[in-house]
Amino acid sequence: MSYDGGFGKRGGGRGGGDAGKLFVGGLNRETSDEELKNYFSSFGVVAECMVKKDPNTGMSRGFGFVSFTDPVSVDHVLAESTHVLHGKNIDPKRAKARSGNEECTKVFVGGLDPNLSENEIREYFGRFGKIETLELPFDREKNQRRGFCFVSFESSDAVETLCTSAKHNIGGREVSFDYCTFVRSNE
């Protein structure tokens, strides 16, 4: 399996590369493709925009992808320290799709209960393999963890095992997964 960058074709967006693509986490569940596009259009021409949705419910998974026609637009977005859409701080990051021969050791987990303890999350994911890092983004305005996280495993086998099942229930909530690799901006 390979991560397609969110647009259903490797490299996503027009222009065939990932230099102009963003992953956007922390979206309000009500945010539509059009609203996401309108927000990011102030930074440059948006070629494609997609809020990821659960295939069973049609509900937003709380993240999406934006692809600009000009990669410089991504730099403009990342130069801003705060982004707010629908009253929520959103978290744009430079996205990089995996090539077919790359092994993925990191997953995005959406739909987590922010009240789950770090130990509960580690215990659940530890069943699939040794965890290298667990990133638990924090919403400073609400003074609570956000409803998603990133888990990096020591081995890509753990990710493959985890992602063989489309549905996982953690702490009474069904959560979603996506393979991911990110290039961090210079923050």
Side-chain angles (χ1 to χ4, degrees):
M1 247 190 239
S2 66
Y3 174 64
D4 68 9
F7 288 123
K9 59 185 174 190
R10 190 167 315 281
R14 294 177 194 121
D18 294 310
K21 185 182 287 182
L22 286 173
F23 163 86
V24 184
L27 292 176
N28 183 307
R29 300 284 177 186
E30 305 300 317
T31 302
S32 69
D33 292 347
E34 191 62 29
E35 290 164 326
L36 189 63
K37 180 178 182 176
N38 287 343
Y39 177 81
F40 283 101
S41 290
S42 66
F43 297 96
V45 178
V46 174
E48 287 184 84
C49 186
M50 176 187 292
V51 173
K52 293 297 275 184
K53 295 187 171 37
D54 181 294
N56 298 319
T57 66
M59 300 292 294
S60 167
R61 293 168 66 187
F63 69 97
F65 296 91
V66 177
S67 183
F68 291 99
T69 57
D70 183 353
V72 172
S73 299
V74 171
D75 297 328
H76 295 311
V77 171
L78 298 176
E80 297 280 329
S81 61
T82 304
H83 294 275
V84 179
L85 182 59
H86 273 162
K88 271 189 87 177
N89 279 335
I90 58 175
D91 190 18
K93 293 181 176 10
R94 191 179 306 272
K96 180 184 176 213
R98 294 185 331 116
S99 64
N101 60 1
E102 238 179 276
E103 291 188 345
C104 181
T105 59
K106 186 173 187 176
V107 291
F108 166 85
V109 183
L112 274 179
D113 180 349
N115 297 314
L116 277 177
S117 72
E118 181 176 344
N119 286 340
E120 289 173 298
I121 297 168
R122 282 187 180 280
E123 182 180 316
Y124 184 85
F125 291 108
R127 295 186 291 172
F128 298 95
K130 184 169 171 33
I131 297 171
E132 279 191 343
T133 61
L134 175 62
E135 298 173 48
L136 300 166
F138 195 80
D139 185 333
R140 290 184 204 130
E141 287 181 10
K142 293 183 180 177
N143 199 28
Q144 71 177 20
R145 269 204 346 264
R146 292 185 175 189
F148 64 93
C149 73
F150 297 94
V151 182
S152 295
F153 292 95
E154 196 172 75
S155 163
S156 62
D157 293 338
V159 173
E160 290 300 324
T161 303
L162 178 69
C163 291
T164 54
S165 176
K167 296 181 182 185
H168 290 266
N169 191 306
I170 304 174
R173 274 194 180 179
E174 191 173 294
V175 298
S176 58
F177 296 88
D178 259 332
Y179 296 90
C180 62
T181 57
F182 297 107
V183 176
R184 296 269 179 205
S185 63
N186 295 333
E187 298 178 285

